Amino acid sequence: MTTTIYHNPDCETSRNTLAMIRASGEEPTIVEYLKHPPPRARLEQLISTLEIPARALLREKGTPYAELGLADPKWSDGQLLDAMLEHPILINRPIVETPRGTRLCRPSELVLDLLDHPVSQFTKEDGEVVSHDRGGQ
């Protein structure tokens, strides 16, 4: 299995996550999910692997979340998946898959636990410095 990132190049968190992956010496498969949304079965598989309900993968900010009334608990997971597939911007990002696991990497430094050789320190686009200590792992 290679590293895969479901990426939005317009998202700072996604860009920082991709940069941390590359800084670790890996070149991931990049899925620009706004241009190439995952098929329904793949999105269902990601949600299952993340062990979260579909609602937990919804992004609110900068999306049609409010306009579509998605905060209403009446929506089933299937209906929420339909909304994400119709409006991929509703899929929260970045999602990263590696042999070590799959995670929604918000904040971006969560990706460091998924990498075989993570950088010990990284400076994000906004100047924030994050450090990583795997404790001998």
Side-chain angles (χ1 to χ4, degrees), residues 5-75:
I5 180 171
Y6 289 83
H7 178 60
N8 177 353
D10 293 329
C11 171
E12 183 177 336
T13 300
S14 198
R15 290 191 307 268
N16 280 321
T17 302
L18 178 58
M20 286 184 215
I21 294 168
R22 287 178 167 158
S24 78
E26 296 184 40
E27 185 54 42
T29 299
I30 300 170
V31 178
E32 287 192 35
Y33 69 94
L34 294 178
K35 293 179 183 177
H36 308 285
R40 183 184 192 89
R42 182 70 184 120
L43 189 56
E44 288 172 338
Q45 182 182 36
L46 286 168
I47 289 169
S48 175
T49 302
L50 289 166
E51 298 179 341
I52 60 173
R55 181 170 297 284
L57 193 58
L58 282 173
R59 180 170 175 83
E60 296 178 36
K61 182 180 175 187
T63 75
Y65 179 89
E67 293 83 7
L68 295 171
L70 296 176
D72 191 323
K74 72 177 183 179
W75 302 110

Side-chain angles (χ1 to χ4, degrees), residues 80-101:
L80 295 174
L81 281 168
D82 291 341
M84 285 186 255
L85 293 169
E86 185 175 341
H87 307 279
I89 193 70
L90 287 166
I91 302 170
N92 213 342
R93 75 282 181 163
I95 300 169
V96 177
E97 294 180 290
T98 75
R100 296 177 68 93

